[in-house]
Amino acid sequence: QVRLVESGGDLVQAGGSLGLSCAASGTIFRNEIMSWYRQAPGKQRELVASVTIRGVTNYAHFAKGRFTISRHNAENTVYLQMNNLRPEDTAVYYCHARLYKYWSDSLADYWGQGTQVTVSS
């Protein structure tokens, strides 16, 4: 059983900064990719940023230059530093992990419960 627990969501003023963290626990052989997604009310969940086990990062267009994703492989933890936040960044932010299961030679996706980020204007 794998569990992802996020923390760091909060209410912040526009232009402010916020850091999110997510820790994965349980039986983890290889944590291929860790990502942050977000979902605003009435909108689809969208990718914010991802980072592979080798440290290759990918950012959504709205995140480039403002957000930074990083991970600590040994602790199966991923972070998202968000700067210059805008009201349109308001959403529930979800942690995602894609794990490789050697015993079944397959990949599996896991999600955290989400953490609320609210940016006031």
Side-chain angles (χ1 to χ4, degrees):
Q1 186 73 10
V2 175
R3 187 179 178 213
L4 302 181
V5 178
E6 303 110 330
S7 61
D10 206 344
L11 170 65
V12 63
Q13 287 189 333
S17 298
L18 202 59
L20 305 181
S21 62
C22 170
S25 61
T27 303
I28 299 173
F29 176 68
R30 192 167 72 227
N31 192 341
E32 296 286 350
I33 300 174
M34 296 196 80
S35 308
W36 287 96
Y37 285 74
R38 72 183 188 183
Q39 187 167 19
K43 295 188 176 181
Q44 289 189 329
R45 190 172 297 188
E46 59 183 352
L47 175 69
V48 177
S50 64
V51 56
T52 71
I53 194 170
R54 290 177 175 77
V56 177
T57 57
N58 179 50
Y59 292 91
H61 65 90
F62 57 81
K64 290 181 180 178
R66 298 190 300 130
F67 297 179
T68 302
I69 190 170
S70 60
R71 64 184 286 174
H72 192 299
N73 287 335
E75 297 181 356
N76 283 301
T77 304
V78 64
Y79 307 94
L80 184 69
Q81 177 63 38
M82 303 183 291
N83 299 324
N84 191 21
L85 284 161
R86 305 164 180 164
E88 53 264 38
D89 294 318
T90 296
V92 177
Y93 284 70
Y94 295 91
C95 177
H96 166 266
R98 175 160 292 173
L99 308 182
Y100 174 71
K101 299 181 175 182
Y102 77 93
W103 53 90
S104 60
D105 191 26
S106 63
L107 296 171
D109 292 314
Y110 295 89
W111 294 89
Q113 79 286 353
T115 185
Q116 177 70 46
V117 172
T118 303
V119 184
S120 63
S121 57

